[in-house]
Amino acid sequence: MVRKRAGKLVVIRSAKRMQGLCLRLRAEGRTIGLVPTMGALHEGHLALVRRARKLADVVVVSVYVNPTQFGPQEDFDRYPRQLAKDVELCRKEGVDVVFAPRSLYAADASTWVEEVEVSRDRCGAFRPGHFRGVATVVVKLLNICQPNVAVFGLKDFQQCEVLQRVVRDLYFAVRLVLVPTVREKDGLAKSSRNSYLSVEERAKAVLFPRILREAAESGKSDEDAAAALRKAGFLVEYVTTSRGRMCAAVRVGSTRLIDNFVRRT
Ligand code: AMP
């Protein structure tokens, strides 16, 4: 049996054990804050953890590279995995439980959660099936971890929009809290995928948030922002303003970067 001792981090790898622990904690009247991640933790993830600590008695960080949100040609195999290091970072941040399941899909799993409106455009158009994978895994995590609060990053703005819709439509009793994007000193949004960038690509990548921010803050059109990004040499997937945020995805070499800024109206 898994016991939760005050001040000591536990790592749980089984969904059943995790669910048992969380149901007991909730029955005891404790509140749970969940931070879902794919690991390779950085300061962006840690900002979410710090927010969760302020909002809940028990903080759970899930570390799971969810296969169903990657397309067949995407980076699932090479996505960085460093569980021992992630656990140490969580320990330093006062996390109570790291939930690192080996798998969240039975071999014959046949149940999916699909949001069909907000997830259509932007990343949804360029990554077919991505948000179905995200919605499905997050619903599994909510059912397993029973959180009162789940914390997500505004860096993945469309993901936030999709998950808000899923939680509303399916009546999940959880509050979603969204945290602003944490950036490198030069403005590039922190991301586990930044490790893919070569020195030259990293030098170029910094222009992405600079150009997008300038376009958003000066109230440029999406088309003009896309043109400015192309002029700087980016392969632009989209620039689309949604709910007051100018959102964009570009490629630098084989690495895909996304970002968004509040647009001046
Ligand atoms: P990931 O591990 O990339 O799936 O991200 C897990 C969570 O961390 C998601 O809610 C992301 O939006 C959030 N996140 C990732 N990068 C950042 C960042 N630079 N600033 C804030 N949140 C982030």
Side-chain angles (χ1 to χ4, degrees):
M1 198 178 44
V2 181
R3 290 209 172 277
K4 176 73 200 76
R5 282 161 299 199
K8 193 163 189 314
L9 180 144
V10 289
V11 179
I12 297 182
R13 308 219 57 177
S14 141
K16 277 275 167 251
R17 287 174 70 192
M18 187 70 209
Q19 195 176 44
L21 172 65
C22 293
L23 287 168
R24 283 198 299 283
L25 288 167
R26 289 296 299 267
E28 287 167 8
R30 299 225 256 171
T31 57
I32 298 176
L34 172 67
V35 180
T37 81
M38 297 206 299
L41 301 183
H42 51 64
E43 278 295 322
H45 299 113
L46 300 185
L48 273 52
V49 169
R50 287 170 200 147
R51 180 68 73 87
R53 280 194 61 187
K54 290 209 178 95
L55 298 172
D57 302 329
V58 177
V59 173
V60 176
V61 173
S62 63
V63 174
Y64 180 59
V65 184
N66 173 36
T68 66
Q69 69 189 71
F70 289 80
Q73 311 301 329
E74 291 185 353
D75 55 338
F76 175 70
D77 287 331
R78 68 171 182 143
Y79 197 86
R81 288 162 171 87
Q82 45 165 63
L83 182 59
K85 197 170 161 203
D86 290 343
V87 168
E88 275 324 299
L89 284 169
C90 286
R91 200 187 305 279
K92 286 195 189 112
E93 291 295 328
V95 169
D96 299 284
V97 185
V98 171
F99 175 47
R102 289 184 183 84
S103 172
L104 288 177
Y105 298 88
D108 60 350
S110 52
T111 305
W112 299 95
V113 178
E114 191 167 18
E115 191 287 326
V116 296
E117 177 113 8
V118 188
S119 51
R120 260 203 205 138
D121 72 340
R122 292 171 281 160
C123 289
F126 286 88
R127 304 184 70 188
H130 170 67
F131 286 119
R132 184 174 89 145
V134 169
T136 301
V137 82
V138 169
V139 161
K140 287 175 194 255
L141 290 168
L142 295 177
N143 281 329
I144 295 165
C145 301
Q146 303 284 317
N148 304 72
V149 181
V151 187
F152 294 90
L154 281 163
K155 175 183 163 273
D156 299 278
F157 185 61
Q158 191 178 11
Q159 172 170 281
C160 295
E161 292 179 272
V162 170
L163 294 175
Q164 281 177 328
R165 184 62 71 93
V166 168
V167 161
R168 186 201 72 181
D169 286 353
L170 300 183
Y171 291 91
F172 275 93
V174 64
R175 177 177 153 218
L176 300 191
V177 170
L178 310 181
V179 171
T181 304
V182 176
R183 298 177 179 281
E184 304 285 355
K185 281 204 183 71
D186 65 7
L188 182 66
K190 295 219 182 222
S191 165
S192 309
R193 289 189 167 101
N194 290 351
S195 63
Y196 299 157
L197 297 168
S198 69
V199 175
E200 296 75 33
E201 289 169 342
R202 176 65 183 79
K204 184 174 164 185
V206 66
L207 296 174
F208 175 42
R210 276 192 202 154
I211 292 168
L212 191 65
R213 183 199 286 265
E214 195 282 322
E217 289 179 356
S218 62
K220 279 205 177 94
S221 68
D222 294 344
E223 293 72 24
D224 285 352
L229 287 166
R230 271 190 210 103
K231 200 169 160 209
F234 292 103
L235 200 157
V236 179
E237 285 193 353
Y238 65 81
V239 178
T240 304
T241 297
S242 172
R243 292 210 290 173
R245 280 182 184 258
M246 187 179 267
C247 307
V250 299
R251 283 181 183 277
V252 185
S254 61
T255 304
R256 188 171 183 278
L257 302 173
I258 62 170
D259 209 336
N260 66 84
F261 290 94
V262 173
R263 185 171 181 275
R264 202 196 74 189
T265 45

